[in-house]
Amino acid sequence: MNALEQRQDFALNQYAKGLLKPFKGKGEILRFRDELDDECRRMWQEAADFANRYNRTVVQVGLWLKAHNNSGGRVRAVQWRDKAQTQMGRRLLEAVLRYGDVSQGMKRQLVEIETERVIFNAKIAAATRQVDRLNRVLRDLDEIEAML
């Protein structure tokens, strides 16, 4: 079964609707962009909540999760940090998993957290890129309309 044949109540249908069906006009583009923008605002807090939910666990191995925004984007991605907040990146997690004196159970928890973090950050990237693209389309439409 391909993606278009999936059940209608599948979670991605609300987003796929705008991506897979043609827009009938500028109003539909604006509506879809605004819905995605609202989702981005919600994810801003969700990033902080994600980090806070897992920091009690990851601090046990000298790590920290932080909602980080270094590019002025509309949503903060969740990044690994060292406990002192001086270094950032996935390599910190990889070092703990490879060389840390960490139980197998803790390693599994860290891998589950990393999986959730990567998926969350992908959702952020998809939403923000789509909003940016829709904003470009709207600017193009404005330029075309101005030519009349």
Side-chain angles (χ1 to χ4, degrees), residues 88-119:
M88 178 174 63
R90 184 172 165 172
R91 64 183 167 70
L92 297 167
L93 171 66
E94 292 169 357
V96 167
L97 293 173
R98 286 190 185 141
Y99 310 113
D101 186 20
V102 180
S103 72
Q104 200 60 27
M106 178 59 88
K107 285 182 180 182
R108 272 193 296 280
Q109 269 189 294
L110 291 171
V111 167
E112 288 172 9
I113 291 168
E114 174 62 356
T115 301
E116 191 175 338
R117 184 191 75 83
V118 167
I119 291 168

PDB file of all heavy atoms in Angstrom, residues 88-119:
ATOM      1  N   MET A  88      28.676  20.866  22.407  1.00  0.00           N
ATOM      2  CA  MET A  88      27.373  20.481  21.908  1.00  0.00           C
ATOM      3  C   MET A  88      27.566  19.493  20.763  1.00  0.00           C
ATOM      4  O   MET A  88      28.527  19.564  20.021  1.00  0.00           O
ATOM      5  CB  MET A  88      26.627  21.718  21.398  1.00  0.00           C
ATOM      6  CG  MET A  88      25.281  21.443  20.802  1.00  0.00           C
ATOM      7  SD  MET A  88      24.377  22.949  20.379  1.00  0.00           S
ATOM      8  CE  MET A  88      25.419  23.657  19.137  1.00  0.00           C
ATOM      9  N   GLY A  89      26.629  18.547  20.645  1.00  0.00           N
ATOM     10  CA  GLY A  89      26.623  17.672  19.487  1.00  0.00           C
ATOM     11  C   GLY A  89      26.399  16.213  19.831  1.00  0.00           C
ATOM     12  O   GLY A  89      26.565  15.778  20.973  1.00  0.00           O
ATOM     13  N   ARG A  90      26.040  15.476  18.809  1.00  0.00           N
ATOM     14  CA  ARG A  90      25.752  14.054  18.963  1.00  0.00           C
ATOM     15  C   ARG A  90      26.988  13.257  19.356  1.00  0.00           C
ATOM     16  O   ARG A  90      26.884  12.204  19.970  1.00  0.00           O
ATOM     17  CB  ARG A  90      25.176  13.542  17.654  1.00  0.00           C
ATOM     18  CG  ARG A  90      24.750  12.116  17.719  1.00  0.00           C
ATOM     19  CD  ARG A  90      24.031  11.768  16.466  1.00  0.00           C
ATOM     20  NE  ARG A  90      23.915  10.347  16.313  1.00  0.00           N
ATOM     21  CZ  ARG A  90      23.196   9.791  15.373  1.00  0.00           C
ATOM     22  NH1 ARG A  90      22.551  10.533  14.519  1.00  0.00           N
ATOM     23  NH2 ARG A  90      23.126   8.504  15.265  1.00  0.00           N
ATOM     24  N   ARG A  91      28.157  13.763  19.018  1.00  0.00           N
ATOM     25  CA  ARG A  91      29.387  13.036  19.373  1.00  0.00           C
ATOM     26  C   ARG A  91      29.516  12.842  20.881  1.00  0.00           C
ATOM     27  O   ARG A  91      30.133  11.886  21.332  1.00  0.00           O
ATOM     28  CB  ARG A  91      30.599  13.737  18.795  1.00  0.00           C
ATOM     29  CG  ARG A  91      30.829  15.114  19.355  1.00  0.00           C
ATOM     30  CD  ARG A  91      32.012  15.839  18.713  1.00  0.00           C
ATOM     31  NE  ARG A  91      32.000  17.228  19.058  1.00  0.00           N
ATOM     32  CZ  ARG A  91      32.256  17.725  20.260  1.00  0.00           C
ATOM     33  NH1 ARG A  91      32.560  16.920  21.241  1.00  0.00           N
ATOM     34  NH2 ARG A  91      32.204  19.012  20.491  1.00  0.00           N
ATOM     35  N   LEU A  92      28.897  13.727  21.663  1.00  0.00           N
ATOM     36  CA  LEU A  92      28.914  13.570  23.116  1.00  0.00           C
ATOM     37  C   LEU A  92      28.162  12.299  23.525  1.00  0.00           C
ATOM     38  O   LEU A  92      28.627  11.527  24.358  1.00  0.00           O
ATOM     39  CB  LEU A  92      28.293  14.785  23.799  1.00  0.00           C
ATOM     40  CG  LEU A  92      29.009  16.119  23.579  1.00  0.00           C
ATOM     41  CD1 LEU A  92      28.138  17.270  24.039  1.00  0.00           C
ATOM     42  CD2 LEU A  92      30.348  16.119  24.294  1.00  0.00           C
ATOM     43  N   LEU A  93      27.007  12.080  22.919  1.00  0.00           N
ATOM     44  CA  LEU A  93      26.243  10.865  23.181  1.00  0.00           C
ATOM     45  C   LEU A  93      27.013   9.643  22.699  1.00  0.00           C
ATOM     46  O   LEU A  93      27.100   8.637  23.407  1.00  0.00           O
ATOM     47  CB  LEU A  93      24.881  10.922  22.477  1.00  0.00           C
ATOM     48  CG  LEU A  93      24.080   9.616  22.515  1.00  0.00           C
ATOM     49  CD1 LEU A  93      23.665   9.268  23.938  1.00  0.00           C
ATOM     50  CD2 LEU A  93      22.872   9.713  21.596  1.00  0.00           C
ATOM     51  N   GLU A  94      27.588   9.721  21.511  1.00  0.00           N
ATOM     52  CA  GLU A  94      28.340   8.593  20.966  1.00  0.00           C
ATOM     53  C   GLU A  94      29.499   8.215  21.885  1.00  0.00           C
ATOM     54  O   GLU A  94      29.771   7.026  22.080  1.00  0.00           O
ATOM     55  CB  GLU A  94      28.832   8.927  19.562  1.00  0.00           C
ATOM     56  CG  GLU A  94      27.707   9.037  18.560  1.00  0.00           C
ATOM     57  CD  GLU A  94      28.134   9.631  17.230  1.00  0.00           C
ATOM     58  OE1 GLU A  94      29.312  10.035  17.077  1.00  0.00           O
ATOM     59  OE2 GLU A  94      27.271   9.701  16.333  1.00  0.00           O
ATOM     60  N   ALA A  95      30.171   9.195  22.463  1.00  0.00           N
ATOM     61  CA  ALA A  95      31.286   8.915  23.375  1.00  0.00           C
ATOM     62  C   ALA A  95      30.791   8.175  24.615  1.00  0.00           C
ATOM     63  O   ALA A  95      31.432   7.222  25.077  1.00  0.00           O
ATOM     64  CB  ALA A  95      31.988  10.214  23.772  1.00  0.00           C
ATOM     65  N   VAL A  96      29.664   8.585  25.149  1.00  0.00           N
ATOM     66  CA  VAL A  96      29.113   7.903  26.329  1.00  0.00           C
ATOM     67  C   VAL A  96      28.732   6.467  25.982  1.00  0.00           C
ATOM     68  O   VAL A  96      29.010   5.539  26.733  1.00  0.00           O
ATOM     69  CB  VAL A  96      27.892   8.674  26.890  1.00  0.00           C
ATOM     70  CG1 VAL A  96      27.115   7.832  27.895  1.00  0.00           C
ATOM     71  CG2 VAL A  96      28.331   9.978  27.528  1.00  0.00           C
ATOM     72  N   LEU A  97      28.106   6.280  24.825  1.00  0.00           N
ATOM     73  CA  LEU A  97      27.680   4.939  24.429  1.00  0.00           C
ATOM     74  C   LEU A  97      28.860   4.014  24.148  1.00  0.00           C
ATOM     75  O   LEU A  97      28.810   2.822  24.450  1.00  0.00           O
ATOM     76  CB  LEU A  97      26.773   5.008  23.200  1.00  0.00           C
ATOM     77  CG  LEU A  97      25.408   5.667  23.418  1.00  0.00           C
ATOM     78  CD1 LEU A  97      24.668   5.828  22.098  1.00  0.00           C
ATOM     79  CD2 LEU A  97      24.569   4.862  24.408  1.00  0.00           C
ATOM     80  N   ARG A  98      29.939   4.547  23.597  1.00  0.00           N
ATOM     81  CA  ARG A  98      31.098   3.714  23.247  1.00  0.00           C
ATOM     82  C   ARG A  98      32.064   3.510  24.407  1.00  0.00           C
ATOM     83  O   ARG A  98      32.590   2.425  24.593  1.00  0.00           O
ATOM     84  CB  ARG A  98      31.858   4.330  22.082  1.00  0.00           C
ATOM     85  CG  ARG A  98      31.164   4.161  20.786  1.00  0.00           C
ATOM     86  CD  ARG A  98      32.055   4.567  19.628  1.00  0.00           C
ATOM     87  NE  ARG A  98      31.296   4.503  18.400  1.00  0.00           N
ATOM     88  CZ  ARG A  98      31.397   5.362  17.416  1.00  0.00           C
ATOM     89  NH1 ARG A  98      32.248   6.351  17.497  1.00  0.00           N
ATOM     90  NH2 ARG A  98      30.658   5.236  16.343  1.00  0.00           N
ATOM     91  N   TYR A  99      32.340   4.578  25.128  1.00  0.00           N
ATOM     92  CA  TYR A  99      33.433   4.531  26.102  1.00  0.00           C
ATOM     93  C   TYR A  99      33.010   4.741  27.544  1.00  0.00           C
ATOM     94  O   TYR A  99      33.814   4.566  28.449  1.00  0.00           O
ATOM     95  CB  TYR A  99      34.490   5.587  25.734  1.00  0.00           C
ATOM     96  CG  TYR A  99      34.902   5.519  24.297  1.00  0.00           C
ATOM     97  CD1 TYR A  99      34.591   6.550  23.409  1.00  0.00           C
ATOM     98  CD2 TYR A  99      35.585   4.417  23.792  1.00  0.00           C
ATOM     99  CE1 TYR A  99      34.956   6.493  22.067  1.00  0.00           C
ATOM    100  CE2 TYR A  99      35.960   4.346  22.452  1.00  0.00           C
ATOM    101  CZ  TYR A  99      35.638   5.382  21.608  1.00  0.00           C
ATOM    102  OH  TYR A  99      35.986   5.317  20.292  1.00  0.00           O
ATOM    103  N   GLY A 100      31.780   5.129  27.764  1.00  0.00           N
ATOM    104  CA  GLY A 100      31.326   5.406  29.125  1.00  0.00           C
ATOM    105  C   GLY A 100      31.070   4.133  29.909  1.00  0.00           C
ATOM    106  O   GLY A 100      30.750   3.085  29.349  1.00  0.00           O
ATOM    107  N   ASP A 101      31.210   4.230  31.196  1.00  0.00           N
ATOM    108  CA  ASP A 101      30.914   3.108  32.095  1.00  0.00           C
ATOM    109  C   ASP A 101      29.418   3.168  32.402  1.00  0.00           C
ATOM    110  O   ASP A 101      29.002   3.614  33.467  1.00  0.00           O
ATOM    111  CB  ASP A 101      31.752   3.226  33.365  1.00  0.00           C
ATOM    112  CG  ASP A 101      31.588   2.016  34.269  1.00  0.00           C
ATOM    113  OD1 ASP A 101      31.150   0.949  33.766  1.00  0.00           O
ATOM    114  OD2 ASP A 101      31.869   2.140  35.471  1.00  0.00           O
ATOM    115  N   VAL A 102      28.622   2.722  31.422  1.00  0.00           N
ATOM    116  CA  VAL A 102      27.175   2.860  31.487  1.00  0.00           C
ATOM    117  C   VAL A 102      26.550   1.483  31.323  1.00  0.00           C
ATOM    118  O   VAL A 102      26.982   0.690  30.485  1.00  0.00           O
ATOM    119  CB  VAL A 102      26.691   3.807  30.355  1.00  0.00           C
ATOM    120  CG1 VAL A 102      25.196   3.975  30.373  1.00  0.00           C
ATOM    121  CG2 VAL A 102      27.371   5.161  30.456  1.00  0.00           C
ATOM    122  N   SER A 103      25.527   1.216  32.115  1.00  0.00           N
ATOM    123  CA  SER A 103      24.849  -0.081  32.031  1.00  0.00           C
ATOM    124  C   SER A 103      24.161  -0.244  30.682  1.00  0.00           C
ATOM    125  O   SER A 103      23.843   0.730  30.000  1.00  0.00           O
ATOM    126  CB  SER A 103      23.811  -0.207  33.150  1.00  0.00           C
ATOM    127  OG  SER A 103      22.706   0.641  32.881  1.00  0.00           O
ATOM    128  N   GLN A 104      23.907  -1.497  30.312  1.00  0.00           N
ATOM    129  CA  GLN A 104      23.221  -1.788  29.053  1.00  0.00           C
ATOM    130  C   GLN A 104      21.817  -1.168  29.043  1.00  0.00           C
ATOM    131  O   GLN A 104      21.361  -0.668  28.029  1.00  0.00           O
ATOM    132  CB  GLN A 104      23.158  -3.306  28.837  1.00  0.00           C
ATOM    133  CG  GLN A 104      22.919  -3.712  27.416  1.00  0.00           C
ATOM    134  CD  GLN A 104      23.998  -3.222  26.446  1.00  0.00           C
ATOM    135  OE1 GLN A 104      25.153  -3.008  26.803  1.00  0.00           O
ATOM    136  NE2 GLN A 104      23.614  -3.025  25.213  1.00  0.00           N
ATOM    137  N   GLY A 105      21.149  -1.212  30.201  1.00  0.00           N
ATOM    138  CA  GLY A 105      19.817  -0.615  30.301  1.00  0.00           C
ATOM    139  C   GLY A 105      19.841   0.886  30.046  1.00  0.00           C
ATOM    140  O   GLY A 105      18.967   1.429  29.359  1.00  0.00           O
ATOM    141  N   MET A 106      20.845   1.566  30.605  1.00  0.00           N
ATOM    142  CA  MET A 106      20.982   3.013  30.386  1.00  0.00           C
ATOM    143  C   MET A 106      21.313   3.295  28.921  1.00  0.00           C
ATOM    144  O   MET A 106      20.779   4.241  28.329  1.00  0.00           O
ATOM    145  CB  MET A 106      22.049   3.615  31.293  1.00  0.00           C
ATOM    146  CG  MET A 106      22.266   5.104  31.061  1.00  0.00           C
ATOM    147  SD  MET A 106      20.799   6.129  31.321  1.00  0.00           S
ATOM    148  CE  MET A 106      20.941   6.452  33.057  1.00  0.00           C
ATOM    149  N   LYS A 107      22.147   2.459  28.322  1.00  0.00           N
ATOM    150  CA  LYS A 107      22.458   2.646  26.899  1.00  0.00           C
ATOM    151  C   LYS A 107      21.193   2.537  26.057  1.00  0.00           C
ATOM    152  O   LYS A 107      20.986   3.329  25.139  1.00  0.00           O
ATOM    153  CB  LYS A 107      23.493   1.619  26.429  1.00  0.00           C
ATOM    154  CG  LYS A 107      24.898   1.920  26.900  1.00  0.00           C
ATOM    155  CD  LYS A 107      25.883   0.896  26.361  1.00  0.00           C
ATOM    156  CE  LYS A 107      27.275   1.229  26.848  1.00  0.00           C
ATOM    157  NZ  LYS A 107      28.284   0.299  26.329  1.00  0.00           N
ATOM    158  N   ARG A 108      20.345   1.564  26.382  1.00  0.00           N
ATOM    159  CA  ARG A 108      19.089   1.421  25.640  1.00  0.00           C
ATOM    160  C   ARG A 108      18.221   2.661  25.803  1.00  0.00           C
ATOM    161  O   ARG A 108      17.618   3.144  24.849  1.00  0.00           O
ATOM    162  CB  ARG A 108      18.331   0.171  26.097  1.00  0.00           C
ATOM    163  CG  ARG A 108      18.725  -1.086  25.338  1.00  0.00           C
ATOM    164  CD  ARG A 108      17.759  -2.226  25.566  1.00  0.00           C
ATOM    165  NE  ARG A 108      17.703  -2.715  26.936  1.00  0.00           N
ATOM    166  CZ  ARG A 108      18.591  -3.546  27.484  1.00  0.00           C
ATOM    167  NH1 ARG A 108      19.595  -3.994  26.771  1.00  0.00           N
ATOM    168  NH2 ARG A 108      18.463  -3.939  28.727  1.00  0.00           N
ATOM    169  N   GLN A 109      18.144   3.176  27.030  1.00  0.00           N
ATOM    170  CA  GLN A 109      17.358   4.395  27.273  1.00  0.00           C
ATOM    171  C   GLN A 109      17.906   5.560  26.461  1.00  0.00           C
ATOM    172  O   GLN A 109      17.140   6.328  25.877  1.00  0.00           O
ATOM    173  CB  GLN A 109      17.397   4.774  28.754  1.00  0.00           C
ATOM    174  CG  GLN A 109      16.301   4.185  29.581  1.00  0.00           C
ATOM    175  CD  GLN A 109      16.326   4.799  30.974  1.00  0.00           C
ATOM    176  OE1 GLN A 109      17.266   4.607  31.738  1.00  0.00           O
ATOM    177  NE2 GLN A 109      15.285   5.551  31.289  1.00  0.00           N
ATOM    178  N   LEU A 110      19.215   5.704  26.424  1.00  0.00           N
ATOM    179  CA  LEU A 110      19.832   6.796  25.681  1.00  0.00           C
ATOM    180  C   LEU A 110      19.560   6.671  24.182  1.00  0.00           C
ATOM    181  O   LEU A 110      19.292   7.670  23.510  1.00  0.00           O
ATOM    182  CB  LEU A 110      21.342   6.847  25.947  1.00  0.00           C
ATOM    183  CG  LEU A 110      21.744   7.263  27.368  1.00  0.00           C
ATOM    184  CD1 LEU A 110      23.237   7.052  27.575  1.00  0.00           C
ATOM    185  CD2 LEU A 110      21.341   8.696  27.660  1.00  0.00           C
ATOM    186  N   VAL A 111      19.596   5.455  23.670  1.00  0.00           N
ATOM    187  CA  VAL A 111      19.297   5.234  22.251  1.00  0.00           C
ATOM    188  C   VAL A 111      17.833   5.566  21.966  1.00  0.00           C
ATOM    189  O   VAL A 111      17.511   6.181  20.935  1.00  0.00           O
ATOM    190  CB  VAL A 111      19.657   3.791  21.825  1.00  0.00           C
ATOM    191  CG1 VAL A 111      19.077   3.447  20.464  1.00  0.00           C
ATOM    192  CG2 VAL A 111      21.168   3.605  21.835  1.00  0.00           C
ATOM    193  N   GLU A 112      16.932   5.205  22.864  1.00  0.00           N
ATOM    194  CA  GLU A 112      15.507   5.541  22.682  1.00  0.00           C
ATOM    195  C   GLU A 112      15.300   7.057  22.712  1.00  0.00           C
ATOM    196  O   GLU A 112      14.535   7.598  21.908  1.00  0.00           O
ATOM    197  CB  GLU A 112      14.661   4.866  23.759  1.00  0.00           C
ATOM    198  CG  GLU A 112      14.536   3.368  23.581  1.00  0.00           C
ATOM    199  CD  GLU A 112      13.855   2.680  24.752  1.00  0.00           C
ATOM    200  OE1 GLU A 112      13.317   3.374  25.648  1.00  0.00           O
ATOM    201  OE2 GLU A 112      13.878   1.442  24.780  1.00  0.00           O
ATOM    202  N   ILE A 113      15.979   7.727  23.615  1.00  0.00           N
ATOM    203  CA  ILE A 113      15.885   9.187  23.698  1.00  0.00           C
ATOM    204  C   ILE A 113      16.438   9.809  22.416  1.00  0.00           C
ATOM    205  O   ILE A 113      15.837  10.728  21.849  1.00  0.00           O
ATOM    206  CB  ILE A 113      16.617   9.723  24.944  1.00  0.00           C
ATOM    207  CG1 ILE A 113      15.870   9.302  26.219  1.00  0.00           C
ATOM    208  CG2 ILE A 113      16.783  11.244  24.876  1.00  0.00           C
ATOM    209  CD1 ILE A 113      16.659   9.524  27.502  1.00  0.00           C
ATOM    210  N   GLU A 114      17.565   9.298  21.937  1.00  0.00           N
ATOM    211  CA  GLU A 114      18.163   9.833  20.714  1.00  0.00           C
ATOM    212  C   GLU A 114      17.246   9.617  19.510  1.00  0.00           C
ATOM    213  O   GLU A 114      17.096  10.496  18.666  1.00  0.00           O
ATOM    214  CB  GLU A 114      19.533   9.197  20.458  1.00  0.00           C
ATOM    215  CG  GLU A 114      20.170   9.579  19.144  1.00  0.00           C
ATOM    216  CD  GLU A 114      20.476  11.067  18.971  1.00  0.00           C
ATOM    217  OE1 GLU A 114      20.134  11.903  19.842  1.00  0.00           O
ATOM    218  OE2 GLU A 114      21.045  11.416  17.930  1.00  0.00           O
ATOM    219  N   THR A 115      16.606   8.466  19.446  1.00  0.00           N
ATOM    220  CA  THR A 115      15.663   8.196  18.358  1.00  0.00           C
ATOM    221  C   THR A 115      14.530   9.208  18.383  1.00  0.00           C
ATOM    222  O   THR A 115      14.177   9.799  17.355  1.00  0.00           O
ATOM    223  CB  THR A 115      15.109   6.763  18.471  1.00  0.00           C
ATOM    224  OG1 THR A 115      16.212   5.845  18.413  1.00  0.00           O
ATOM    225  CG2 THR A 115      14.117   6.458  17.376  1.00  0.00           C
ATOM    226  N   GLU A 116      13.979   9.452  19.551  1.00  0.00           N
ATOM    227  CA  GLU A 116      12.886  10.423  19.678  1.00  0.00           C
ATOM    228  C   GLU A 116      13.361  11.838  19.347  1.00  0.00           C
ATOM    229  O   GLU A 116      12.656  12.607  18.692  1.00  0.00           O
ATOM    230  CB  GLU A 116      12.311  10.365  21.094  1.00  0.00           C
ATOM    231  CG  GLU A 116      11.026  11.135  21.253  1.00  0.00           C
ATOM    232  CD  GLU A 116      10.405  10.972  22.629  1.00  0.00           C
ATOM    233  OE1 GLU A 116      10.695   9.978  23.331  1.00  0.00           O
ATOM    234  OE2 GLU A 116       9.619  11.859  23.000  1.00  0.00           O
ATOM    235  N   ARG A 117      14.586  12.165  19.758  1.00  0.00           N
ATOM    236  CA  ARG A 117      15.148  13.491  19.488  1.00  0.00           C
ATOM    237  C   ARG A 117      15.324  13.710  17.981  1.00  0.00           C
ATOM    238  O   ARG A 117      14.943  14.750  17.436  1.00  0.00           O
ATOM    239  CB  ARG A 117      16.492  13.662  20.198  1.00  0.00           C
ATOM    240  CG  ARG A 117      17.108  15.052  20.050  1.00  0.00           C
ATOM    241  CD  ARG A 117      18.554  15.067  20.540  1.00  0.00           C
ATOM    242  NE  ARG A 117      19.429  14.415  19.584  1.00  0.00           N
ATOM    243  CZ  ARG A 117      19.947  15.011  18.501  1.00  0.00           C
ATOM    244  NH1 ARG A 117      19.672  16.273  18.236  1.00  0.00           N
ATOM    245  NH2 ARG A 117      20.748  14.355  17.689  1.00  0.00           N
ATOM    246  N   VAL A 118      15.864  12.718  17.300  1.00  0.00           N
ATOM    247  CA  VAL A 118      16.096  12.831  15.854  1.00  0.00           C
ATOM    248  C   VAL A 118      14.773  12.992  15.107  1.00  0.00           C
ATOM    249  O   VAL A 118      14.653  13.818  14.201  1.00  0.00           O
ATOM    250  CB  VAL A 118      16.891  11.608  15.341  1.00  0.00           C
ATOM    251  CG1 VAL A 118      16.879  11.513  13.827  1.00  0.00           C
ATOM    252  CG2 VAL A 118      18.317  11.651  15.866  1.00  0.00           C
ATOM    253  N   ILE A 119      13.773  12.222  15.510  1.00  0.00           N
ATOM    254  CA  ILE A 119      12.459  12.318  14.861  1.00  0.00           C
ATOM    255  C   ILE A 119      11.828  13.683  15.131  1.00  0.00           C
ATOM    256  O   ILE A 119      11.273  14.313  14.227  1.00  0.00           O
ATOM    257  CB  ILE A 119      11.546  11.162  15.316  1.00  0.00           C
ATOM    258  CG1 ILE A 119      12.074   9.847  14.748  1.00  0.00           C
ATOM    259  CG2 ILE A 119      10.099  11.407  14.900  1.00  0.00           C
ATOM    260  CD1 ILE A 119      11.432   8.609  15.342  1.00  0.00           C
TER     261      ILE A 119
END
